Amino acid sequence: RNIKILMVCLGNICRSPLAQGILTQKSKKNAFIDSAGTASYHIRRSPDPKSILVAKEKGIDISNYKARKFIE
């Protein structure tokens, strides 16, 4: 059974991409992990450099993620 999880924060450049990276690393192969923001401030921007650094320190690469807005 496939599991889908969406991590959400305001702009999708700090908390949610970091959470997506962590959960993706820890999840089983049958889980689909994604992230989005509730606002459209940062669409198509990379995660904040601080979030990229925190992830990198834990061996997780989120540098290629792009911000997107959550749409119902």
Side-chain angles (χ1 to χ4, degrees), residues 43-67:
I43 292 176
R44 291 183 289 282
R45 286 190 42 207
S46 297
D48 184 274
K50 294 174 190 171
S51 292
I52 293 172
L53 180 61
V54 168
K56 187 176 181 178
E57 289 172 351
K58 303 298 181 185
I60 302 167
D61 183 11
I62 63 169
S63 61
N64 291 323
Y65 290 8
K66 298 296 178 199

Side-chain angles (χ1 to χ4, degrees), residues 2-6 27-34 68:
N2 288 333
I3 298 170
K4 296 179 183 181
I5 301 172
L6 179 65
S27 72
K28 297 179 182 177
K29 300 284 185 198
N30 66 341
F32 175 77
I33 316 296
D34 200 0
R68 67 184 192 89

